[in-house]
Amino acid sequence: MSKNQEFVKFDKVDKSYDGKVLVVKDLNLDIAEGEFITMLGPSGSGKTTCLMMLAGFETPTNGEIYLDANPISNIPPHKRGIGMVFQNYALFPHMTVYENLAFPLKVRKISKDDIDKKVDKALSMVSLSGFENRMPAQLSGGQQQRVAVARALVFDPAVVLMDEPLGALDKNLRESMQYEIKHIHESIGVTVVYVTHDQSEALTMSNRIAVFNDGKVQQLSSPDKLYEEPVNSFVAEFIGENNTFGGEVVDLSNGSCKVKLSHGEILANPISVKSKGDRTTVSIRPERALINPENKMDNNHAGTIEEVIYHGDHTRVRLNLLGNSEFILKVPNSSKNLDIKLGNKINIGWNSQDARALDPK
Amino acid sequence: MSSETQQILTTDGIPLSVSLKKAERKNKIKAFLLVVPLLLFLIITYILPIGDMFMRSIDDKMVTNMLPKTFTAMEKWDGKEMPPEEVFAGFYSDFKILVQNKEHGKLAQRLNKEKNGFNSIIKKLFRQVQRNKIDEGQSIKEQIMKVHKRWRDVEYWQAIKRTAPPYTTAKYLKGMDMYYGPDGNIMQVEEDRRIHRILWLRTLEIAFFVTLFSFLMGYPIAHLLATLPMKYSNLLMICVLLPFWTSLLVRTASWMILLQQQGIVNDFFVMIGLVADDNRPEMMYNKVGTYVAMTQILLPFMVLPLYSVMKTISPSLMRAGKSLGGTPFVAFWKIYFPLTIPGIGAGCLLVFILAIGYYITPALVGGASGTLISNQIAYHMKTTLDWSFASAMGLMLLTGVLVVYWVYNKLVGVDNIKLG
């Protein structure tokens, strides 16, 4: 059976709350069946609004949302059959774990025996068997989170929405929950739409990531592509660390361009520059720039070390390179003894392929 | 093993528990001193007056003090046939002192309450004593029995004996339209004179319906307050609180202006053609007036506890209920409503207890059919000056409130009350 590539479809969706500002602008987004897609963006970028429109708590100002090819704008939330995990879990505090999980089944008039079976199954899926009679307040944050996930899945919805579900957990728990949710998704194959502002969370869990900014999807692609090949300087900046140079294109020929900076010139990969004279921001990932490269690289420049911070597995080095005093390098903690000392001059090299000339900031 | 049972010592060798007590003693004293003024205030203005009210309501010492020798002599009397000579002798010597102190009138009044007919025979006896007609050398029993035929009636002597105990629960019985019969049995007053029972029932009825109306009106208001955006909810909050800051009398008076037959509400009804001009309904000086005015006045006491509870209910709970497939009604009924029960409990208890003792509003707009038990208490305090009866009814009201509280505690649990 082939998967429906347009299981959820946002078609030219606009959303405005006050009639003056568009929080979501002309959103077109297709989500495939069984996919784990993450909406990632800073707060106020419109990602949560999109989720709420999909859940039915907000209506699109313009455009239409389709679920399995049916328009759903006029269907109230309780008839959409979409599971949702809320930021603060939204467990019903006056009900036991069992009653919380049984709620979506009871309103669907499912028989008592089936409810028991489904609740059992859902609880064992999140490894909380035996917690049926606890009240939510008697559970830890992580356990509450798992109950919320189980509750959103227990009635076998076609789509599950998660609105920053891990935001309230501490770092270690958050990481282990990321894997847990990912594994649950893999084992039951439900379509998940996940909203977060935490890029590492997005990179860990998703099949595809939609980066939101200013009401628009800036880039929609798999995590590796998003990181390796950002299409604009916002995405490059937002995902991972990033060294930038602002300058002007002076030469553009066979897959390479020359960018003139305030101090010197570099070669870069033209992504969004079209012609000579364009302003551009060149983005280089810290780990793509090497110290004293052994292989010949087409960019080679000398810089002065201004700061060295020890991080255990790696050392962060901040240098002044070509007039940019915020140039970051990550040096792996290997036995290779490099002369990294404050004030030293060192030689830095990188491939022009890895220096992406994007839109100007 | 021994280490478990061993006392834990501080580094200075003092047992830990002793050291802890010592360290906390200062704080305890400080805390106690801080509450002392309030404690004294409560004792002086609350506990002592209630105690005094209680003593007053059961106090019946007057006759006991007036006829000490009579009652000593009566101890041996079986109370069935005419009392023996000693009782008459004791009564005569007590009565002489009363005549000297000119207190016989009070005795007549009090005994007349116990049994009709005492007034005239005590007056007669008084005249005989004044004129020294009673010869102490002869049988006093014979002489007193000659004064009036009622002195020969054993029922009157039984009535005197009944006033012997220094304390009585008669006032409480009277509050329930009952009294002690001639042989000490509890009797009901005639049906057409049972006014107090009607008042008690009416008080309960009005308090119940005022609570119900306040709840029905207050719940949506509180919900709006808790869910509207800040700028609107603040305005609404002021609308709720504004009457709260206005004097009770002013509010009641404005209801009088609104509800009277030539008042604004009636004018409006006539204008929209709901009622004929010559047939304006009476909305004041009856139950309707009491309901309307009391509900309006007590509404904030319902809204505020409800609001403070609703404020804490996250809107995402309702959303969760809907996204899980509950219709808006199911989500409300199964999720929102149960979570507001602590507020409902607090609001209803508050309004009911306030309503059950309400006084000014029913007095002003209630008329004859809209007055409550508290108006009756005030009547006995100010008009009949029967303070012991007023105290007894006041305490019965207090007991009623405590019973309501107890029942509520059994049903909902006081720990579940939330006032904010």
Side-chain angles (χ1 to χ4, degrees):
Chain A
M1 197 185 85
S2 73
K3 294 267 171 112
N4 184 350
Q5 288 305 308
E6 294 182 0
F7 191 59
V8 177
K9 183 179 176 69
F10 285 83
D11 186 26
K12 294 183 192 132
V13 172
D14 290 329
K15 175 70 186 174
S16 171
Y17 287 107
D18 52 6
K20 290 171 194 154
V21 183
L22 279 173
V23 259
V24 175
K25 294 173 196 159
D26 190 25
L27 176 72
N28 293 289
L29 183 63
D30 297 339
I31 299 167
E33 197 172 354
E35 190 175 26
F36 194 122
I37 195 164
T38 298
M39 296 178 174
L40 175 68
S43 53
S45 59
K47 56 191 195 308
T48 298
T49 305
C50 285
L51 201 72
M52 288 299 165
M53 286 193 285
L54 187 51
F57 299 121
E58 303 287 352
T59 44
T61 314
N62 187 34
E64 184 60 81
I65 302 170
Y66 298 90
L67 178 62
D68 208 4
N70 301 313
I72 55 169
S73 287
N74 291 320
I75 299 176
H78 62 273
K79 291 192 182 145
R80 293 193 181 188
I82 294 177
M84 183 149 182
V85 181
F86 291 83
Q87 198 164 6
N88 48 8
Y89 321 140
L91 296 180
F92 308 135
H94 58 300
M95 297 185 187
T96 62
V97 169
Y98 174 85
E99 288 165 331
N100 263 285
L101 263 68
F103 181 85
L105 304 171
K106 270 187 190 153
V107 299
R108 288 174 169 76
K109 308 251 186 309
I110 290 172
S111 74
K112 176 89 173 66
D113 289 350
D114 289 349
I115 290 181
D116 285 351
K117 270 182 222 149
K118 279 174 183 272
V119 169
D120 256 10
K121 201 177 134 211
L123 278 181
S124 67
M125 183 175 68
V126 293
S127 34
L128 278 180
S129 300
F131 284 71
E132 285 88 349
N133 294 321
R134 298 274 192 99
M135 299 304 276
Q138 296 170 309
L139 302 176
S140 70
Q143 289 169 335
Q144 290 185 28
Q145 176 56 54
R146 287 189 227 178
V147 174
V149 171
R151 190 180 65 176
L153 292 169
V154 72
F155 61 101
D156 301 321
V159 182
V160 174
L161 313 181
M162 300 194 184
D163 183 11
E164 309 210 13
L166 306 180
L169 302 179
D170 65 58
K171 189 167 170 288
N172 287 339
L173 199 53
R174 195 158 63 220
E175 276 166 13
S176 75
M177 280 303 296
Q178 285 170 10
Y179 295 122
E180 203 162 322
I181 292 176
K182 192 177 159 77
H183 292 151
I184 289 172
H185 167 251
E186 280 162 5
S187 65
I188 63 174
V190 68
T191 310
V192 178
V193 182
Y194 192 99
V195 161
T196 184
H197 61 261
D198 181 339
Q199 40 134 330
S200 75
E201 201 167 291
L203 294 174
T204 311
M205 301 172 80
S206 326
N207 297 129
R208 281 195 299 161
I209 299 172
V211 180
F212 275 70
N213 189 37
D214 201 20
K216 284 196 144 156
V217 176
Q218 304 289 333
Q219 186 172 358
L220 172 65
S221 48
S222 59
D224 52 337
K225 271 204 147 180
L226 200 67
Y227 185 81
E228 312 279 352
E229 299 165 20
V231 294
N232 61 32
S233 53
F234 173 79
V235 176
E237 191 94 327
F238 192 72
I239 309 286
E241 265 191 301
N242 180 36
N243 293 310
T244 57
F245 293 103
E248 191 187 326
V249 179
V250 289
D251 191 20
L252 186 65
S253 58
N254 45 20
S256 174
C257 65
K258 195 178 262 180
V259 178
K260 185 174 185 298
L261 312 176
S262 48
H263 305 78
E265 279 180 353
I266 54 175
L267 288 172
N269 185 4
I271 302 295
S272 47
V273 292
K274 297 278 175 290
S275 58
K276 275 192 212 173
D278 281 358
R279 300 286 307 163
T280 182
T281 301
V282 179
S283 154
I284 307 148
R285 294 289 180 201
E287 64 273 14
R288 291 299 162 104
L290 302 179
I291 298 171
N292 298 329
E294 285 155 10
N295 301 332
K296 184 73 186 133
M297 284 177 158
D298 48 9
N299 280 296
N300 250 308
H301 302 281
T304 321
I305 297 176
E306 296 204 330
E307 194 175 10
V308 180
I309 299 166
Y310 181 69
H311 269 272
D313 58 343
H314 71 269
T315 303
R316 274 171 72 92
V317 181
R318 183 167 67 81
L319 359 119
N320 190 341
L321 187 77
L322 300 170
N324 178 1
S325 62
E326 297 291 329
F327 195 94
I328 303 294
L329 278 180
K330 283 185 184 169
V331 185
N333 190 356
S334 62
S335 53
K336 190 171 149 193
N337 193 12
L338 293 170
D339 197 17
I340 300 173
K341 282 200 183 105
L342 214 59
N344 277 8
K345 257 193 167 352
I346 51 173
N347 201 26
I348 310 293
W350 66 86
N351 281 321
S352 64
Q353 269 309 307
D354 297 327
R356 296 168 71 83
L358 306 169
D359 54 320
K361 270 198 281 193
Chain B
M1 275 297 172
S2 62
S3 65
E4 276 179 31
T5 51
Q6 221 175 17
Q7 257 190 331
I8 304 169
L9 302 180
T10 63
T11 42
D12 293 341
I14 309 162
L16 189 62
S17 56
V18 174
S19 175
L20 186 69
K21 260 185 203 160
K22 209 171 166 186
E24 288 188 347
R25 188 180 301 144
K26 216 177 186 178
N27 279 336
K28 276 187 185 163
I29 291 172
K30 251 190 220 164
F32 180 72
L33 285 177
L34 279 173
V35 295
V36 157
L38 183 66
L39 197 65
L40 285 176
F41 181 79
L42 273 182
I43 288 173
I44 292 168
T45 62
Y46 195 69
I47 311 273
L48 291 182
I50 287 181
D52 183 57
M53 255 169 74
F54 178 69
M55 294 314 289
R56 200 184 283 279
S57 70
I58 57 168
D59 178 80
D60 196 22
K61 282 205 236 18
M62 193 175 79
V63 183
T64 317
N65 293 340
M66 280 174 168
L67 306 172
K69 285 179 192 157
T70 317
F71 292 135
T72 324
M74 270 184 173
E75 274 167 22
K76 284 173 206 148
W77 176 47
D78 62 358
K80 281 171 190 148
E81 286 164 31
M82 281 301 285
E85 175 71 28
E86 299 91 67
V87 172
F88 282 87
F91 180 70
Y92 176 68
S93 66
D94 286 338
F95 194 71
K96 264 199 311 192
I97 298 166
L98 289 181
V99 171
Q100 275 168 23
N101 298 343
K102 295 188 174 151
E103 284 180 337
H104 59 282
K106 272 194 198 168
L107 179 70
Q109 207 183 359
R110 170 68 186 88
L111 287 178
N112 209 46
K113 265 190 201 162
E114 197 65 33
K115 188 159 178 63
N116 267 330
F118 260 114
N119 236 339
S120 54
I121 63 172
I122 283 181
K123 248 177 223 163
K124 271 207 157 150
L125 186 63
F126 163 69
R127 263 175 245 133
Q128 299 285 321
V129 174
Q130 217 178 20
R131 293 175 204 152
N132 281 321
K133 286 273 180 75
I134 308 272
D135 181 356
E136 283 174 38
Q138 292 181 27
S139 162
I140 289 168
K141 180 174 176 179
E142 298 294 323
Q143 295 177 60
I144 289 182
M145 276 164 65
K146 267 181 214 156
V147 170
H148 194 278
K149 66 170 185 200
R150 284 187 209 142
W151 285 121
R152 294 195 287 279
D153 189 343
V154 70
E155 281 190 17
Y156 284 85
W157 289 99
Q158 285 167 341
I160 292 177
K161 190 179 164 93
R162 279 205 301 279
T163 63
Y167 300 107
T168 174
T169 53
K171 298 292 180 187
Y172 290 91
L173 286 181
K174 191 178 168 190
M176 293 184 283
D177 293 329
M178 290 188 277
Y179 66 101
Y180 284 112
D183 46 356
N185 285 347
I186 292 171
M187 313 266 285
Q188 308 258 1
V189 300
E190 297 95 89
E191 223 167 315
D192 55 337
R193 294 179 63 194
R194 290 180 192 162
I195 48 162
H196 295 111
R197 227 172 285 177
I198 295 172
L199 276 178
W200 285 114
L201 288 179
R202 187 191 293 153
T203 306
L204 284 178
E205 181 197 329
I206 288 187
F208 174 78
F209 281 106
V210 165
T211 310
L212 186 70
F213 295 150
S214 312
F215 169 67
L216 291 178
M217 290 199 275
Y219 200 88
I221 298 174
H223 179 72
L224 260 184
L225 269 175
T227 48
L228 275 182
M230 198 59 126
K231 58 175 176 177
Y232 300 114
S233 73
N234 275 345
L235 191 71
L236 191 60
M237 190 54 143
I238 289 173
C239 292
V240 170
L241 287 177
L242 206 60
F244 218 43
W245 299 329
T246 319
S247 150
L248 185 64
L249 274 173
V250 172
R251 276 186 286 165
T252 309
S254 41
W255 275 115
M256 294 170 80
I257 295 166
L258 286 168
L259 292 178
Q260 58 186 283
Q261 278 201 307
Q262 298 302 319
I264 294 163
V265 176
N266 258 319
D267 283 350
F268 178 72
F269 284 165
V270 169
M271 197 183 82
I272 62 169
L274 202 67
V275 296
D277 196 12
D278 51 358
N279 187 26
R280 289 169 174 240
E282 251 183 70
M283 289 185 286
M284 211 170 65
Y285 305 127
N286 55 21
K287 268 191 201 171
V288 177
T290 309
Y291 278 139
V292 171
M294 277 178 71
T295 303
Q296 192 266 336
I297 287 164
L298 292 176
L299 197 55
F301 292 100
M302 181 66 82
V303 172
L304 293 178
L306 275 176
Y307 165 74
S308 71
V309 168
M310 287 177 178
K311 196 82 189 158
T312 62
I313 300 173
S314 159
S316 66
L317 288 180
M318 277 290 274
R319 287 185 161 179
K322 286 185 205 163
S323 84
L324 292 171
T327 58
F329 175 76
V330 168
F332 168 79
W333 185 244
K334 294 277 183 195
I335 296 157
Y336 196 79
F337 186 77
L339 291 173
T340 58
I341 283 178
I344 297 173
C348 287
L349 197 65
L350 207 58
V351 171
F352 187 83
I353 287 175
L354 285 171
I356 215 173
Y358 232 58
Y359 164 60
I360 295 179
T361 309
L364 290 177
V365 298
S369 69
T371 51
L372 305 183
I373 202 73
S374 49
N375 302 102
Q376 187 72 11
I377 295 174
Y379 170 74
H380 284 294
M381 273 172 61
K382 294 193 296 196
T383 313
T384 68
L385 299 183
D386 190 351
W387 284 16
S388 56
F389 185 39
S391 304
M393 286 210 287
L395 280 176
M396 285 164 83
L397 191 59
L398 180 65
T399 315
V401 168
L402 290 178
V403 168
V404 169
Y405 184 76
W406 180 79
V407 169
Y408 177 85
N409 189 18
K410 285 279 155 193
L411 290 180
V412 185
V414 169
D415 301 338
N416 282 335
I417 291 186
K418 265 193 203 159
L419 285 173

